[in-house]
Amino acid sequence: MGDKRQRARVQGSWAKPAGKPSHSVAGRQQPVPGSWNTGNVPRTYEFHQPADPVRVIPVEKVLEEAGDYEISQGPTGVSRLRLLPGFLPVEEADWMFARLMAELPWSQKTNYRMMGEAYEEPRLTCWYGELPYTYSHSTMEANPQWHPVLTTLRQAIERETCHTFNSLLCNLYRDGKDSIAWHSDDEPSLGPQPTIASLSLGDTRAFSLRKKPPPEEKGDYTYTEKLRVPLSHGTLLIMEGCTQEDWQHQVAKEYHDRGPRINLTFRTIYPEHPSKR
Ligand SMILES: O=C(O)CCC(=O)C(=O)O
């Protein structure tokens, strides 16, 4: 060390009083600085396998290609997705989007939490069907007068899926701040293992799925499988089998520019047994 730096150190407030070595602790023989020995007793190190296995957070998988995907086989059965990007040709999707934006009776629904606290849904909705639909402790009344564009779409989707649907929940995401939180479409009125056909129009949004954790995880989703499906203009996504029982889904808020998006989820609603209300 040069003379100047050595002097500065000795004069600095952190300098130890001269003559006392910094490694001196009373009553113990001290290790030689730079050595791994503690006194005369050499230290040994042993590797112990950690009691809990090291857990890896699964990487989110992205599904973009058209196809049938078996996304899980348990615990209650097989969960399946069918993805059909470009189900509607672009010009058709364009005019349908414009008409539905302008002509459907969009409104903002008020939901209720378990303790009765009210909150406005961060999107607009409307409901079509012979029966009312209840979720999040609030009911959408029956609305049997289907818009003609929705009737045309229902018929096309029924032909494609070989399923019939008697109801439709329409969602309008006005921009990236509109969203739908993690949930499953598992209300008793949808029956067991419902098939849900979801058609997207307008700007692309990420549709995410996460597998429900086993009971020992106590509701912690950290280590569960995750999927992301970008839903673009004219894409049809069909959820089948145990998808609602074994998975949750959401459309999260996005913090960059997003244009409006309409999502139409065709479902079958059954009259509820009075004791289940
Ligand atoms: O907007 C979407 O793609 C999903 C809508 C949805 O999860 C629902 O209506 O239950």
Side-chain angles (χ1 to χ4, degrees), residues 53-68:
V54 177
R55 303 185 71 187
V56 177
I57 297 177
V59 175
E60 182 185 63
K61 292 185 192 131
V62 182
L63 309 184
E64 285 176 302
E65 305 292 320
D68 292 338

Side-chain angles (χ1 to χ4, degrees), residues 169 171 173 180 183 185 207 231 249 251 261 263 265 267:
L169 177 62
N171 293 299
Y173 303 83
I180 188 163
H183 69 285
D185 296 328
F207 181 79
L231 293 181
H249 56 267
V251 174
R261 165 178 183 263
N263 174 256
T265 54
R267 301 140 187 257

